[in-house]
Every structure is written in structure tokens, then in C-alpha cells.
């Protein structure tokens, strides 16, 4: 005797869908308070930007203010192993902090005009639903929670695929385990997450 699949109670009710994650809106470090552990970008208007960095607290030398900046991998290792690492001092006016904006409509990924940005500041980054992302492995991802919250500081370790139960999903790990994989070689603990709950940053 075959059983009919249980109907999805959310089907046909788009108003019940979870909101997309908040976008990342870079903000000048001169306008930010505490910086320790914050994600930052460095660069120059009109020249370019570097991301995947973490900051420590501002340092004043003479009449200038600097921000110690290190790669995320070095920051996670220093925190995990309680070691000191060298962090170059970057003038505060060249540092931008990743803040969260207000969630809104996602523009189509294929619309070239919607991707044009000003070079005066780092571009706002709007999350892309995992099924719409061109690739996922290694990217920062956001997991939407049932209560409407967001779980961040995750990395995807696979592309989306179909699991043994026929569900479309991807495997993710914490960023600490992601970076530890690189410096120790130990495979990370992973979690299988339904693709419709994952967004690539």
C-alpha cells in the first residue's frame, strides 16, 4: 500500500517564506566603534578592495590612527591556539567594516546593469540563494533558521546536490573548522542543510 506524500503546509503561501539574509554594507572604520574580530575590507577608492580580513582595535601613533588587519585564516588560528601573530597597521581611512543592511529584494544575477558599482567605496554585497549561485564550495554562506534568524560565519564545503532522501541540499561547516582544515589537514565537521535555507554571500 503506497502512501501519499504529506502536503507542504507552506506551499502556495509566499507570504510565509523566510526573508532573505541581510546584505553586507561596508562602512568606513572611522564611523565604527569596537573593531576587534570584525570583518573588514581594505583598499583605496578607484583602485580596488581586499576582503576576507579581520581587524583588531584601533591604534594611535602620533597624530594618525591605524587598524591592525590580518587574514581571516590567521585570525582564526590565533584565536584557536591563543598565539600572537603579526598584523600590519593599515591607516583607518583605508579600512571599511562589514555592517549588515536591511534585507530587501534580490536583483536578478543576470542583469549586468544591476551589478555596476561606484569605485568610491566597496560594493554592497547582496546574498544570493544557493540554488541560484553559480558555485558554492568554499564560499561564505548564511543559513536561515526556522525562527527567521540567520546563522553566519559558515562556509560551504560542497555544491548543492541530492542526498539519499532525495532532498536538494549542501554541506556546510563553521569558518573555524574551515580554516582549521587548511592549517591542520583535519577534515571539518559538516552539517547538511536544505538548499532553500542557504544563501551565498
Amino acid at each position: 500500500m503506497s502512501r501519499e506524500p504529506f502536503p507542504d503546509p507552506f506551499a502556495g503561501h509566499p507570504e510565509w517564506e523566510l526573508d532573505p539574509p541581510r546584505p553586507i554594507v561596508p562602512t568606513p572604520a572611522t564611523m565604527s566603534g569596537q573593531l576587534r574580530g570584525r570583518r573588514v575590507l581594505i583598499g583605496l577608492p578607484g583602485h580596488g578592495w581586499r576582503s576576507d580580513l579581520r581587524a583588531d582595535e584601533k591604534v594611535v601613533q602620533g597624530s594618525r590612527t591605524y587598524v591592525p588587519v590580518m587574514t581571516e585564516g590567521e585570525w582564526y588560528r590565533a584565536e584557536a591556539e591563543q598565539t600572537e601573530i603579526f598584523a600590519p597597521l593599515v591607516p583607518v581611512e583605508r579600512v571599511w567594516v562589514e555592517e549588515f543592511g536591511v534585507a530587501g529584494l534580490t536583483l536578478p544575477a543576470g542583469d549586468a546593469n544591476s551589478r555596476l558599482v561606484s569605485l568610491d567605496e566597496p560594493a554592497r554585497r547582496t546574498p544570493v540563494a544557493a540554488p541560484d549561485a553559480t558555485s558554492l564550495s568554499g564560499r561564505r554562506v548564511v543559513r536561515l533558521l526556522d525562527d527567521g534568524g540567520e546563522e553566519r560565519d559558515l562556509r560551504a564545503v560542497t555544491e548543492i546536490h541530492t542526498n539519499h532522501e532525495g532532498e536538494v541540499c549542501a554541506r556546510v561547516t563553521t569558518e573555524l573548522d574551515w580554516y582549521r582544515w587548511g592549517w591542520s589537514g583535519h577534515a571539518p565537521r559538516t552539517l547538511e542543510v536544505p538548499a532553500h535555507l542557504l544563501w551565498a554571500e
Side-chain angles (χ1 to χ4, degrees):
M1 176 178 165
S2 64
R3 292 185 176 175
E4 291 294 322
F6 189 77
D8 183 352
F10 299 103
H13 295 279
E15 70 275 10
W16 292 350
E17 291 179 4
L18 295 172
D19 289 333
R22 295 165 293 166
I24 292 170
V25 181
T27 303
T30 53
M31 300 170 58
S32 295
Q34 302 259 327
L35 292 182
R36 177 169 170 72
R38 301 287 302 278
R39 274 200 170 105
V40 295
L41 302 98
I42 61 173
L44 290 168
H47 182 73
W49 312 98
R50 178 161 180 195
S51 60
D52 291 332
L53 303 169
R54 297 275 180 158
D56 208 335
E57 292 304 341
K58 297 171 188 169
V59 174
V60 177
Q61 291 186 351
S63 61
R64 301 209 58 190
T65 301
Y66 298 90
V67 179
V69 174
M70 63 212 82
T71 65
E72 278 201 325
E74 290 174 325
W75 183 79
Y76 275 109
R77 187 168 190 174
E79 290 293 304
E81 299 183 351
Q82 294 298 298
T83 58
E84 294 285 330
I85 63 164
F86 173 74
L89 297 178
V90 180
V92 69
E93 62 271 14
R94 296 187 182 183
V95 180
W96 296 68
V97 182
E98 291 191 7
E99 302 279 5
F100 297 126
V102 178
L105 295 176
T106 303
L107 294 173
D111 182 359
N113 287 331
S114 71
R115 297 198 310 268
L116 296 178
V117 299
S118 165
L119 295 183
D120 293 338
E121 59 187 25
R124 171 187 172 117
R125 289 171 54 175
T126 303
V128 177
D132 299 330
T134 54
S135 66
L136 208 58
S137 296
R139 289 183 68 175
R140 288 164 44 179
V141 292
V142 183
R143 176 188 176 203
L144 295 182
L145 304 176
D146 293 337
D147 63 3
E150 303 168 356
E151 183 180 4
R152 293 186 181 250
D153 295 338
L154 300 172
R155 294 273 179 164
V157 297
T158 69
E159 298 297 328
I160 57 173
H161 59 277
T162 305
N163 66 12
H164 298 299
E165 287 76 41
E167 183 176 36
V168 177
C169 60
R171 297 199 77 85
V172 303
T173 189
T174 64
E175 281 202 324
L176 173 58
D177 278 356
W178 168 259
Y179 284 111
R180 184 181 280 128
W181 193 8
W183 81 65
S184 72
H186 296 304
R189 295 164 295 178
T190 63
L191 175 68
E192 189 176 82
V193 180
H196 71 277
L197 296 178
L198 279 180
W199 293 69
E201 286 191 307

